[in-house]
Amino acid sequence: MTQLRQLFQKYQDVLAYLVFGGLTTVINIVVFYLTATLWGWNYQVGNAMAWFISVLFAYVTNRVWVFHSHFTTMSALTKEVVSFFSVRAATLVMDAGIMWIGVSLLQQNEMLTKLVDQVVVVLANYFFSKWFVFRKTKALSRNEIDD
């Protein structure tokens, strides 16, 4: 039982990301389905709307339950939000490119392309968030703050 607890603690962030990343993906796919398939919007417009709504959800869940980010100033929060959305904008470009290749060039089904696309995007988002947005930084000592 102790080994199981240690494994859980070691991979807690990854497991939380899988859960919330999965929920973010579901939100993304549902919004895409509603906008592009049911409502007949252009697939790229539906894709952008799905991205925006799912990124809002992802920011809150990643910040609180995956990476346990705690900001102490409004400046730190602003930097984190801008960083998160900037990184996600980079994966939106990947997302739009994969959709364009799959749907426009290869003439594949929009939903099937979206599912494949989401696997790539979820992996990229995890690594970008871990490396650039919610990376652990060393706390400054009191002397360094006063200088």
Side-chain angles (χ1 to χ4, degrees):
M1 193 63 159
T2 302
Q3 288 178 328
L4 188 59
R5 184 174 295 133
Q6 288 173 338
L7 275 174
F8 175 77
Q9 288 173 343
K10 182 176 180 181
Y11 296 107
Q12 184 175 358
D13 289 348
V14 173
L15 293 171
Y17 185 80
L18 289 174
V19 169
F20 291 111
L23 290 172
T24 300
T25 300
V26 168
I27 290 168
N28 189 292
I29 290 169
V30 167
V31 172
F32 179 79
Y33 176 77
L34 289 171
T35 57
T37 304
L38 286 183
W39 300 342
W41 295 8
N42 174 279
Y43 76 90
Q44 289 290 22
V45 174
N47 193 46
M49 179 64 71
W51 173 84
F52 181 74
I53 292 171
S54 62
V55 168
L56 286 174
F57 174 80
Y59 174 71
V60 172
T61 58
N62 278 231
R63 187 182 174 288
V64 175
W65 291 294
V66 178
F67 299 107
H68 312 286
S69 176
H70 303 284
F71 62 89
T72 55
T73 66
M74 189 54 89
S75 173
L77 172 64
T78 302
K79 182 179 176 186
E80 185 180 85
V81 169
V82 168
S83 178
F84 186 84
F85 276 83
S86 296
V87 166
R88 292 297 170 111
T91 58
L92 172 62
V93 172
M94 290 172 49
D95 187 346
I98 292 168
M99 291 299 294
W100 180 75
I101 290 168
V103 176
S104 295
L105 289 184
L106 301 176
Q107 302 294 307
Q108 296 300 306
N109 177 279
E110 290 175 350
M111 287 307 296
L112 179 62
T113 303
K114 185 67 175 168
L115 291 171
V116 171
D117 162 64
Q118 285 303 287
V119 172
V120 174
V121 169
V122 166
L123 291 172
N125 281 333
Y126 175 77
F127 289 111
F128 289 158
S129 290
K130 185 152 183 81
W131 293 336
F132 299 114
V133 181
F134 299 110
R135 68 182 179 269
K136 304 285 187 218
T137 57
K138 292 192 305 186
L140 296 175
S141 71
R142 186 74 191 147
N143 291 337
E144 291 173 312
I145 293 172
D146 292 336
D147 289 341

